[in-house]
Amino acid sequence: MSCDTPAAPRSRRPFELTGWMVAAMLVLFFGVIVSVNATILTVALRTMPGVETKSAYETSQHFNEEIARQHERDARGWKAVATLARQGEGASLGATLADRAGQPLSGFTVTGRLRHPATSARDHAVALNERQPGRYEANVERIEAGSWILEWQAKRGEEVVFVSRSRVTLPEK
């Protein structure tokens, strides 16, 4: 009768943590951390560089003048209503301008800017045309849904006679 005896298990060499292994793990760990941080930083700076004006100092030098002009505009008592409505892929922008008595104000050159709250790369500049007395309109061909800052101004010649800034929301298609 034959008796099979199992072979004796080979002895394993015990795991040994060496200095080179620890060094490799540390380099790998911190390499992953640094590369993820660099990626996040790059994406953040590309989407919002943080620059609002080219020269904050020069802008600040004209601050008091701008405040005085705005008080002068406010004293006129003009009222404005702006609308932003979805039209296919784009949108229709409308602005109505009236005096203190509610009479339409016409004959102005009206320009506007739809500013994206997060990045100036998505901004849209528009020129509004007067469709009827006191009613100015423009179309934007392609625009994403969401919240926008609508800035527009009415000029008579070179003089800015009215400025408006408001938050508008454009719904999904």
Side-chain angles (χ1 to χ4, degrees):
M1 157 164 167
S2 126
C3 183
D4 289 337
T5 52
R10 288 192 230 165
S11 64
R12 283 190 187 171
R13 206 173 77 184
F15 177 74
E16 193 175 312
L17 188 61
T18 64
W20 286 109
M21 292 171 90
V22 171
M25 285 189 279
L26 279 172
V27 167
L28 218 77
F29 175 77
F30 285 108
V32 168
I33 298 296
V34 167
S35 64
V36 168
N37 284 345
T39 302
I40 290 172
L41 180 67
T42 302
V43 169
L45 288 176
R46 284 184 183 164
T47 58
M48 177 58 174
V51 178
E52 185 71 24
T53 61
K54 292 185 179 175
S55 173
Y57 176 75
E58 287 179 21
T59 303
S60 72
Q61 298 303 304
H62 303 289
F63 181 75
N64 290 337
E65 296 167 10
E66 184 58 36
I67 294 296
R69 280 193 297 270
Q70 190 60 43
H71 285 302
E72 186 180 307
R73 291 180 202 126
D74 290 345
R76 291 185 183 120
W78 292 0
K79 297 174 190 80
V81 176
T83 58
L84 184 65
R86 172 65 69 192
Q87 279 189 334
E89 293 288 317
S92 169
L93 173 62
T96 303
L97 190 56
D99 65 9
R100 189 182 311 263
Q103 297 301 311
L105 294 167
S106 61
F108 298 108
T109 302
V110 179
T111 57
R113 183 170 206 78
L114 280 165
R115 291 186 47 220
H116 192 275
T119 178
S120 60
R122 294 182 179 164
D123 289 359
H124 298 274
V126 292
L128 288 86
N129 299 312
E130 190 169 13
R131 301 282 188 230
Q132 50 185 293
R135 178 71 180 167
Y136 300 87
E137 296 177 357
N139 290 321
V140 181
E141 288 189 25
R142 293 186 72 99
I143 188 169
E144 301 94 11
S147 184
W148 293 86
I149 299 167
L150 171 60
E151 296 174 342
W152 60 282
Q153 63 182 8
K155 286 184 174 182
R156 182 178 291 134
E158 289 299 312
E159 179 190 7
V160 177
V161 293
F162 186 81
V163 174
S164 176
R165 183 176 186 193
S166 57
R167 177 87 55 157
V168 292
T169 303
L170 184 64
E172 294 286 334
K173 300 176 216 168

